[in-house]
Amino acid sequence: MAAAVFIFPAMVSSAQPIPANFWLARFAVFTALATLGLVGMGGLVTSHGVGMAVPDWPTSYGYNMFALPISMWLTGGVFHEHTHRLWASFVGVLVVILTRWLGGRESRMPLLAIGAAEILAGVGLLQIGGDWRGAGHFLQGIGGVVLLAGIVWVRNERARGRLPQLGWAAFWLVQLQGLLGGLRVVLDAHVLADVRLGTAFGIFHGCLAQVFLVLLAVIALFTSRWWSHRGAQILRSGIESSVPARLVLIATILIFLQLLIGATMRHQHAGLAISDFPLAHGRLWPDMSPEAIARYNAQRIETIASRPITAVQIALQMAHRFLALAILVAVLAVAWQARREKTSFRRFAWVWLAMILAQAGLGAWVIWSNKAADVATAHVMLGALSLVTGALASIITLRRFYPSGAAIPAGASFEAVRAGILSSPPANP
Amino acid sequence: MKALIALATMAAIIPATAGNITGKVTLKGTPPAEKEITSIKDDANCGKLHTEAVKTRFYVVGKDNGLGDTVVMLKGISGKSTGASAAPLIVDQKGCFYTPYVTACQTGQKITVKNSDPVLHNVHTEPAVSENKSYNLPQMAGGADLNFTYDKAESFLKFKCDVHPWMFAYVTVVDHPYFAVSDKDGNFTIKDVPAGKYTITALHRKAAVAGVDQEVEVKADGATANFTLEVK
């Protein structure tokens, strides 16, 4: 539990509510919302099966990404893929600004150094050539933005607590995510140990997007006025919660696992492995024998270039269904525990439950609509929102571990806690 | 005179005992209904190229349940490809569709992909055999033809367009010239097969992905091989 104080020092940083930076908080929310939109755009790309509609990267049909003629941009699947790239670039710039803002003037030198190093690395990769050229151009582009952020002469103070570190985490994640998205295109056809790299990078890209969104939501929470006031108040007054933090955390982890399975299913581009619900190929447990798989494939009429389904994909969808049930039970338990809460967490828990129920409904609709792209994308976005809700709920319920000053280890001053340098974990309540 | 020389050359090349294998592929059972491709109507460019509803074309069933788009070929023959000297196989993108949908060629034979559409496509090949290379190349409206060659035999090598994801086609690559694709009524002819006993197989993208085999003996007057593929 020491990790909670290590991560959330703002909760214990002052006896007085800390005045939050109004514009920083709003900018963090805006960045998180832009990232949610980006997840949705990525969902549309995968749902429509147009991830390779722009064969090159980071150029688009040989053009600089930002100079693609509009007539080409509006052509079929190019629209989704190219918009995803532009949107991702925008989010990248937002995150660099956020990093600079959170890090204060102390972040200027690191940004300058990283920007210059990335530009140099980009030049090096261009010299190597081949498939590395795309990554070279990418590094040069992002390096230029980072360098610019370092040059900006604003002597702002760094944000409180560990927020600058969270900003740096977002900074590296957004670049890794961009690189993964590009490599998913450039290395699509490459095979390593019988694994198609395009599929592997696609799955990783889809999963990391969820982690990245959660991180930005956490930054938005920690920069919020609500968190500054409420967090400090909670630690001082020790408001008890009847909801076990562990239960919330388990439900959130289950949702994350569910999203991993979902991303794996979607990025195999095999369409619906099971086309009926609530039954599965007409049975409670589907026949997964080779004869049955051949029969399913013979009966499938795909309107896009889906790959044939396999027994593994059917098993994945069954796991997805059962995990959905487990998540529903877990979140239902959270809402039940929270029913007598006097705090706003009760409403929070009910909203979370409503999201999970809606998500289950959307999941069924995905199947009944034969995986209509807009329905499948809504399913992805609500899944991401459910994860974010769970992650924030986990953080909020962790307050139980620090209900009062007594929960903080003896000898640890508030200043020490603020600096996140607790030497030993506090006892569980 | 030229015709006489050509005939004499043909006579020298084709063994005197070669014959054609003819037959018909029939579908048993009721195939699932084809679906309307609604995305095409929503596409600003491709929607204009069609006045009627466009459907998928997995089961092309014609007269007397004849099944089209079935690849029929001899099995167990390798290294007999004459693909390098064969005329290119032409695959066209027309009306935002690949034409033909199912076809076949030899290893080493050039596959020429045209774009007869007034719209950009990308030609993305997805071979399953690792030695065959995947390509993803743009092809502008009225752009130059794209040429592909595959050196390893492979059934149903997929060609697709990611810009218009309903566009896909299959090319079966064979390591010899003894193959045919059934027409809309299920009829096929494999020409100039040397006399002898063979295993012949029929592959269909849905009804017989692994192929249905039978034995056939080719004599001077050819042979007949009929197939019945079943959809369950």
Side-chain angles (χ1 to χ4, degrees), chain A residues 388-418:
Chain A
V388 166
T389 307
L392 298 187
S394 299
I395 290 168
I396 290 167
T397 50
L398 278 171
R399 69 192 182 192
R400 281 198 66 205
F401 294 100
Y402 306 96
S404 68
I408 296 169
S413 65
F414 272 98
E415 286 71 25
V417 176
R418 181 191 296 142

PDB file of all heavy atoms in Angstrom, chain A residues 388-418:
ATOM      1  N   VAL A 388     -11.358   2.910 -17.461  1.00  0.00           N
ATOM      2  CA  VAL A 388     -10.974   4.183 -16.835  1.00  0.00           C
ATOM      3  C   VAL A 388     -11.768   4.382 -15.549  1.00  0.00           C
ATOM      4  O   VAL A 388     -11.203   4.751 -14.503  1.00  0.00           O
ATOM      5  CB  VAL A 388     -11.225   5.357 -17.815  1.00  0.00           C
ATOM      6  CG1 VAL A 388     -11.175   6.692 -17.082  1.00  0.00           C
ATOM      7  CG2 VAL A 388     -10.208   5.332 -18.936  1.00  0.00           C
ATOM      8  N   THR A 389     -13.068   4.111 -15.616  1.00  0.00           N
ATOM      9  CA  THR A 389     -13.919   4.268 -14.430  1.00  0.00           C
ATOM     10  C   THR A 389     -13.423   3.363 -13.307  1.00  0.00           C
ATOM     11  O   THR A 389     -13.330   3.783 -12.147  1.00  0.00           O
ATOM     12  CB  THR A 389     -15.382   3.929 -14.781  1.00  0.00           C
ATOM     13  OG1 THR A 389     -15.757   4.714 -15.911  1.00  0.00           O
ATOM     14  CG2 THR A 389     -16.316   4.224 -13.628  1.00  0.00           C
ATOM     15  N   GLY A 390     -13.110   2.121 -13.655  1.00  0.00           N
ATOM     16  CA  GLY A 390     -12.619   1.177 -12.654  1.00  0.00           C
ATOM     17  C   GLY A 390     -11.291   1.625 -12.067  1.00  0.00           C
ATOM     18  O   GLY A 390     -11.075   1.539 -10.850  1.00  0.00           O
ATOM     19  N   ALA A 391     -10.406   2.117 -12.927  1.00  0.00           N
ATOM     20  CA  ALA A 391      -9.090   2.553 -12.444  1.00  0.00           C
ATOM     21  C   ALA A 391      -9.236   3.735 -11.495  1.00  0.00           C
ATOM     22  O   ALA A 391      -8.603   3.771 -10.425  1.00  0.00           O
ATOM     23  CB  ALA A 391      -8.212   2.929 -13.639  1.00  0.00           C
ATOM     24  N   LEU A 392     -10.081   4.690 -11.854  1.00  0.00           N
ATOM     25  CA  LEU A 392     -10.276   5.851 -10.985  1.00  0.00           C
ATOM     26  C   LEU A 392     -10.975   5.432  -9.692  1.00  0.00           C
ATOM     27  O   LEU A 392     -10.640   5.925  -8.610  1.00  0.00           O
ATOM     28  CB  LEU A 392     -11.084   6.936 -11.720  1.00  0.00           C
ATOM     29  CG  LEU A 392     -10.430   7.510 -12.989  1.00  0.00           C
ATOM     30  CD1 LEU A 392     -11.231   8.690 -13.518  1.00  0.00           C
ATOM     31  CD2 LEU A 392      -8.988   7.930 -12.738  1.00  0.00           C
ATOM     32  N   ALA A 393     -11.931   4.501  -9.817  1.00  0.00           N
ATOM     33  CA  ALA A 393     -12.620   4.010  -8.617  1.00  0.00           C
ATOM     34  C   ALA A 393     -11.631   3.303  -7.692  1.00  0.00           C
ATOM     35  O   ALA A 393     -11.700   3.445  -6.466  1.00  0.00           O
ATOM     36  CB  ALA A 393     -13.747   3.058  -9.020  1.00  0.00           C
ATOM     37  N   SER A 394     -10.711   2.561  -8.283  1.00  0.00           N
ATOM     38  CA  SER A 394      -9.693   1.872  -7.473  1.00  0.00           C
ATOM     39  C   SER A 394      -8.868   2.886  -6.698  1.00  0.00           C
ATOM     40  O   SER A 394      -8.592   2.716  -5.506  1.00  0.00           O
ATOM     41  CB  SER A 394      -8.773   1.039  -8.371  1.00  0.00           C
ATOM     42  OG  SER A 394      -9.506   0.068  -9.052  1.00  0.00           O
ATOM     43  N   ILE A 395      -8.470   3.941  -7.391  1.00  0.00           N
ATOM     44  CA  ILE A 395      -7.648   4.971  -6.738  1.00  0.00           C
ATOM     45  C   ILE A 395      -8.425   5.634  -5.611  1.00  0.00           C
ATOM     46  O   ILE A 395      -7.908   5.848  -4.513  1.00  0.00           O
ATOM     47  CB  ILE A 395      -7.205   6.016  -7.793  1.00  0.00           C
ATOM     48  CG1 ILE A 395      -6.184   5.372  -8.741  1.00  0.00           C
ATOM     49  CG2 ILE A 395      -6.623   7.249  -7.123  1.00  0.00           C
ATOM     50  CD1 ILE A 395      -5.904   6.192  -9.971  1.00  0.00           C
ATOM     51  N   ILE A 396      -9.676   5.936  -5.894  1.00  0.00           N
ATOM     52  CA  ILE A 396     -10.485   6.638  -4.885  1.00  0.00           C
ATOM     53  C   ILE A 396     -10.720   5.745  -3.662  1.00  0.00           C
ATOM     54  O   ILE A 396     -10.629   6.205  -2.524  1.00  0.00           O
ATOM     55  CB  ILE A 396     -11.817   7.093  -5.518  1.00  0.00           C
ATOM     56  CG1 ILE A 396     -11.537   8.217  -6.525  1.00  0.00           C
ATOM     57  CG2 ILE A 396     -12.795   7.576  -4.449  1.00  0.00           C
ATOM     58  CD1 ILE A 396     -12.699   8.538  -7.429  1.00  0.00           C
ATOM     59  N   THR A 397     -10.969   4.459  -3.896  1.00  0.00           N
ATOM     60  CA  THR A 397     -11.233   3.576  -2.750  1.00  0.00           C
ATOM     61  C   THR A 397      -9.956   3.249  -1.984  1.00  0.00           C
ATOM     62  O   THR A 397     -10.022   2.815  -0.844  1.00  0.00           O
ATOM     63  CB  THR A 397     -11.897   2.264  -3.192  1.00  0.00           C
ATOM     64  OG1 THR A 397     -11.151   1.713  -4.270  1.00  0.00           O
ATOM     65  CG2 THR A 397     -13.336   2.485  -3.606  1.00  0.00           C
ATOM     66  N   LEU A 398      -8.815   3.459  -2.605  1.00  0.00           N
ATOM     67  CA  LEU A 398      -7.561   3.214  -1.879  1.00  0.00           C
ATOM     68  C   LEU A 398      -7.411   4.166  -0.704  1.00  0.00           C
ATOM     69  O   LEU A 398      -6.583   3.959   0.175  1.00  0.00           O
ATOM     70  CB  LEU A 398      -6.360   3.363  -2.820  1.00  0.00           C
ATOM     71  CG  LEU A 398      -6.054   2.132  -3.672  1.00  0.00           C
ATOM     72  CD1 LEU A 398      -5.006   2.469  -4.708  1.00  0.00           C
ATOM     73  CD2 LEU A 398      -5.571   0.984  -2.794  1.00  0.00           C
ATOM     74  N   ARG A 399      -8.212   5.197  -0.675  1.00  0.00           N
ATOM     75  CA  ARG A 399      -8.168   6.143   0.441  1.00  0.00           C
ATOM     76  C   ARG A 399      -8.414   5.431   1.766  1.00  0.00           C
ATOM     77  O   ARG A 399      -8.013   5.897   2.815  1.00  0.00           O
ATOM     78  CB  ARG A 399      -9.214   7.230   0.247  1.00  0.00           C
ATOM     79  CG  ARG A 399     -10.625   6.712   0.402  1.00  0.00           C
ATOM     80  CD  ARG A 399     -11.647   7.700  -0.068  1.00  0.00           C
ATOM     81  NE  ARG A 399     -12.989   7.149   0.159  1.00  0.00           N
ATOM     82  CZ  ARG A 399     -14.085   7.664  -0.335  1.00  0.00           C
ATOM     83  NH1 ARG A 399     -14.013   8.721  -1.096  1.00  0.00           N
ATOM     84  NH2 ARG A 399     -15.254   7.143  -0.081  1.00  0.00           N
ATOM     85  N   ARG A 400      -9.098   4.302   1.700  1.00  0.00           N
ATOM     86  CA  ARG A 400      -9.395   3.565   2.928  1.00  0.00           C
ATOM     87  C   ARG A 400      -8.120   3.159   3.659  1.00  0.00           C
ATOM     88  O   ARG A 400      -8.109   2.971   4.856  1.00  0.00           O
ATOM     89  CB  ARG A 400     -10.200   2.304   2.616  1.00  0.00           C
ATOM     90  CG  ARG A 400     -11.663   2.567   2.383  1.00  0.00           C
ATOM     91  CD  ARG A 400     -12.439   1.293   2.530  1.00  0.00           C
ATOM     92  NE  ARG A 400     -12.409   0.799   3.891  1.00  0.00           N
ATOM     93  CZ  ARG A 400     -12.571  -0.469   4.210  1.00  0.00           C
ATOM     94  NH1 ARG A 400     -12.740  -1.379   3.296  1.00  0.00           N
ATOM     95  NH2 ARG A 400     -12.573  -0.850   5.468  1.00  0.00           N
ATOM     96  N   PHE A 401      -7.076   3.008   2.875  1.00  0.00           N
ATOM     97  CA  PHE A 401      -5.824   2.578   3.499  1.00  0.00           C
ATOM     98  C   PHE A 401      -5.141   3.724   4.241  1.00  0.00           C
ATOM     99  O   PHE A 401      -4.203   3.502   4.963  1.00  0.00           O
ATOM    100  CB  PHE A 401      -4.899   1.980   2.442  1.00  0.00           C
ATOM    101  CG  PHE A 401      -5.457   0.714   1.868  1.00  0.00           C
ATOM    102  CD1 PHE A 401      -6.102   0.708   0.646  1.00  0.00           C
ATOM    103  CD2 PHE A 401      -5.368  -0.471   2.581  1.00  0.00           C
ATOM    104  CE1 PHE A 401      -6.619  -0.457   0.129  1.00  0.00           C
ATOM    105  CE2 PHE A 401      -5.900  -1.636   2.067  1.00  0.00           C
ATOM    106  CZ  PHE A 401      -6.534  -1.636   0.839  1.00  0.00           C
ATOM    107  N   TYR A 402      -5.627   4.921   4.013  1.00  0.00           N
ATOM    108  CA  TYR A 402      -5.052   6.093   4.680  1.00  0.00           C
ATOM    109  C   TYR A 402      -6.174   6.930   5.269  1.00  0.00           C
ATOM    110  O   TYR A 402      -6.328   8.094   4.941  1.00  0.00           O
ATOM    111  CB  TYR A 402      -4.217   6.915   3.688  1.00  0.00           C
ATOM    112  CG  TYR A 402      -3.196   6.063   3.031  1.00  0.00           C
ATOM    113  CD1 TYR A 402      -3.449   5.504   1.784  1.00  0.00           C
ATOM    114  CD2 TYR A 402      -2.008   5.749   3.693  1.00  0.00           C
ATOM    115  CE1 TYR A 402      -2.530   4.661   1.201  1.00  0.00           C
ATOM    116  CE2 TYR A 402      -1.094   4.898   3.099  1.00  0.00           C
ATOM    117  CZ  TYR A 402      -1.353   4.362   1.864  1.00  0.00           C
ATOM    118  OH  TYR A 402      -0.467   3.534   1.285  1.00  0.00           O
ATOM    119  N   PRO A 403      -7.018   6.312   6.088  1.00  0.00           N
ATOM    120  CA  PRO A 403      -8.187   7.031   6.572  1.00  0.00           C
ATOM    121  C   PRO A 403      -7.834   8.169   7.526  1.00  0.00           C
ATOM    122  O   PRO A 403      -8.603   9.080   7.706  1.00  0.00           O
ATOM    123  CB  PRO A 403      -9.000   5.952   7.280  1.00  0.00           C
ATOM    124  CG  PRO A 403      -7.986   4.945   7.705  1.00  0.00           C
ATOM    125  CD  PRO A 403      -6.933   4.968   6.668  1.00  0.00           C
ATOM    126  N   SER A 404      -6.691   8.094   8.135  1.00  0.00           N
ATOM    127  CA  SER A 404      -6.328   9.174   9.054  1.00  0.00           C
ATOM    128  C   SER A 404      -4.824   9.202   9.192  1.00  0.00           C
ATOM    129  O   SER A 404      -4.115   8.354   8.658  1.00  0.00           O
ATOM    130  CB  SER A 404      -6.945   8.921  10.432  1.00  0.00           C
ATOM    131  OG  SER A 404      -6.326   7.801  11.020  1.00  0.00           O
ATOM    132  N   GLY A 405      -4.375  10.174   9.977  1.00  0.00           N
ATOM    133  CA  GLY A 405      -2.941  10.281  10.193  1.00  0.00           C
ATOM    134  C   GLY A 405      -2.367   9.030  10.824  1.00  0.00           C
ATOM    135  O   GLY A 405      -1.206   8.703  10.622  1.00  0.00           O
ATOM    136  N   ALA A 406      -3.218   8.283  11.561  1.00  0.00           N
ATOM    137  CA  ALA A 406      -2.736   7.085  12.239  1.00  0.00           C
ATOM    138  C   ALA A 406      -2.299   6.012  11.259  1.00  0.00           C
ATOM    139  O   ALA A 406      -1.470   5.165  11.591  1.00  0.00           O
ATOM    140  CB  ALA A 406      -3.837   6.531  13.139  1.00  0.00           C
ATOM    141  N   ALA A 407      -2.861   6.053  10.069  1.00  0.00           N
ATOM    142  CA  ALA A 407      -2.513   5.015   9.093  1.00  0.00           C
ATOM    143  C   ALA A 407      -1.162   5.268   8.456  1.00  0.00           C
ATOM    144  O   ALA A 407      -0.627   4.412   7.779  1.00  0.00           O
ATOM    145  CB  ALA A 407      -3.578   4.938   8.010  1.00  0.00           C
ATOM    146  N   ILE A 408      -0.667   6.453   8.653  1.00  0.00           N
ATOM    147  CA  ILE A 408       0.627   6.776   8.064  1.00  0.00           C
ATOM    148  C   ILE A 408       1.713   6.315   9.029  1.00  0.00           C
ATOM    149  O   ILE A 408       1.639   6.547  10.230  1.00  0.00           O
ATOM    150  CB  ILE A 408       0.721   8.292   7.802  1.00  0.00           C
ATOM    151  CG1 ILE A 408      -0.348   8.659   6.750  1.00  0.00           C
ATOM    152  CG2 ILE A 408       2.093   8.697   7.318  1.00  0.00           C
ATOM    153  CD1 ILE A 408      -0.549  10.128   6.590  1.00  0.00           C
ATOM    154  N   PRO A 409       2.701   5.631   8.530  1.00  0.00           N
ATOM    155  CA  PRO A 409       3.710   5.042   9.403  1.00  0.00           C
ATOM    156  C   PRO A 409       4.332   6.062  10.341  1.00  0.00           C
ATOM    157  O   PRO A 409       4.557   7.210   9.964  1.00  0.00           O
ATOM    158  CB  PRO A 409       4.746   4.501   8.418  1.00  0.00           C
ATOM    159  CG  PRO A 409       4.015   4.339   7.140  1.00  0.00           C
ATOM    160  CD  PRO A 409       2.960   5.357   7.124  1.00  0.00           C
ATOM    161  N   ALA A 410       4.606   5.561  11.535  1.00  0.00           N
ATOM    162  CA  ALA A 410       5.206   6.438  12.531  1.00  0.00           C
ATOM    163  C   ALA A 410       6.519   6.988  12.015  1.00  0.00           C
ATOM    164  O   ALA A 410       7.312   6.278  11.399  1.00  0.00           O
ATOM    165  CB  ALA A 410       5.439   5.642  13.814  1.00  0.00           C
ATOM    166  N   GLY A 411       6.718   8.225  12.273  1.00  0.00           N
ATOM    167  CA  GLY A 411       7.980   8.834  11.874  1.00  0.00           C
ATOM    168  C   GLY A 411       7.955   9.441  10.487  1.00  0.00           C
ATOM    169  O   GLY A 411       8.870  10.162  10.113  1.00  0.00           O
ATOM    170  N   ALA A 412       6.917   9.132   9.751  1.00  0.00           N
ATOM    171  CA  ALA A 412       6.853   9.682   8.395  1.00  0.00           C
ATOM    172  C   ALA A 412       6.088  10.995   8.434  1.00  0.00           C
ATOM    173  O   ALA A 412       4.912  11.016   8.755  1.00  0.00           O
ATOM    174  CB  ALA A 412       6.164   8.705   7.455  1.00  0.00           C
ATOM    175  N   SER A 413       6.761  12.061   8.151  1.00  0.00           N
ATOM    176  CA  SER A 413       6.115  13.369   8.189  1.00  0.00           C
ATOM    177  C   SER A 413       5.256  13.541   6.946  1.00  0.00           C
ATOM    178  O   SER A 413       5.412  12.823   5.961  1.00  0.00           O
ATOM    179  CB  SER A 413       7.175  14.464   8.227  1.00  0.00           C
ATOM    180  OG  SER A 413       7.893  14.441   7.010  1.00  0.00           O
ATOM    181  N   PHE A 414       4.366  14.509   6.988  1.00  0.00           N
ATOM    182  CA  PHE A 414       3.566  14.801   5.806  1.00  0.00           C
ATOM    183  C   PHE A 414       4.460  15.234   4.654  1.00  0.00           C
ATOM    184  O   PHE A 414       4.198  14.924   3.495  1.00  0.00           O
ATOM    185  CB  PHE A 414       2.533  15.896   6.115  1.00  0.00           C
ATOM    186  CG  PHE A 414       1.253  15.335   6.655  1.00  0.00           C
ATOM    187  CD1 PHE A 414       1.008  15.314   8.011  1.00  0.00           C
ATOM    188  CD2 PHE A 414       0.311  14.798   5.795  1.00  0.00           C
ATOM    189  CE1 PHE A 414      -0.176  14.781   8.502  1.00  0.00           C
ATOM    190  CE2 PHE A 414      -0.861  14.277   6.277  1.00  0.00           C
ATOM    191  CZ  PHE A 414      -1.113  14.258   7.643  1.00  0.00           C
ATOM    192  N   GLU A 415       5.544  15.924   5.027  1.00  0.00           N
ATOM    193  CA  GLU A 415       6.455  16.363   3.967  1.00  0.00           C
ATOM    194  C   GLU A 415       7.103  15.157   3.287  1.00  0.00           C
ATOM    195  O   GLU A 415       7.266  15.121   2.070  1.00  0.00           O
ATOM    196  CB  GLU A 415       7.544  17.281   4.542  1.00  0.00           C
ATOM    197  CG  GLU A 415       7.060  18.680   4.908  1.00  0.00           C
ATOM    198  CD  GLU A 415       6.148  18.675   6.133  1.00  0.00           C
ATOM    199  OE1 GLU A 415       6.254  17.742   6.967  1.00  0.00           O
ATOM    200  OE2 GLU A 415       5.317  19.572   6.228  1.00  0.00           O
ATOM    201  N   ALA A 416       7.446  14.160   4.152  1.00  0.00           N
ATOM    202  CA  ALA A 416       8.065  12.956   3.588  1.00  0.00           C
ATOM    203  C   ALA A 416       7.078  12.225   2.696  1.00  0.00           C
ATOM    204  O   ALA A 416       7.430  11.751   1.613  1.00  0.00           O
ATOM    205  CB  ALA A 416       8.528  12.035   4.716  1.00  0.00           C
ATOM    206  N   VAL A 417       5.836  12.156   3.176  1.00  0.00           N
ATOM    207  CA  VAL A 417       4.818  11.478   2.375  1.00  0.00           C
ATOM    208  C   VAL A 417       4.601  12.228   1.067  1.00  0.00           C
ATOM    209  O   VAL A 417       4.474  11.651  -0.003  1.00  0.00           O
ATOM    210  CB  VAL A 417       3.497  11.371   3.167  1.00  0.00           C
ATOM    211  CG1 VAL A 417       2.413  10.747   2.305  1.00  0.00           C
ATOM    212  CG2 VAL A 417       3.711  10.550   4.418  1.00  0.00           C
ATOM    213  N   ARG A 418       4.601  13.554   1.188  1.00  0.00           N
ATOM    214  CA  ARG A 418       4.393  14.375   0.003  1.00  0.00           C
ATOM    215  C   ARG A 418       5.457  14.077  -1.051  1.00  0.00           C
ATOM    216  O   ARG A 418       5.199  14.019  -2.240  1.00  0.00           O
ATOM    217  CB  ARG A 418       4.445  15.850   0.379  1.00  0.00           C
ATOM    218  CG  ARG A 418       4.222  16.780  -0.805  1.00  0.00           C
ATOM    219  CD  ARG A 418       4.535  18.206  -0.446  1.00  0.00           C
ATOM    220  NE  ARG A 418       3.639  18.705   0.574  1.00  0.00           N
ATOM    221  CZ  ARG A 418       4.007  19.517   1.558  1.00  0.00           C
ATOM    222  NH1 ARG A 418       5.257  19.891   1.655  1.00  0.00           N
ATOM    223  NH2 ARG A 418       3.155  19.942   2.440  1.00  0.00           N
TER     224      ARG A 418
END
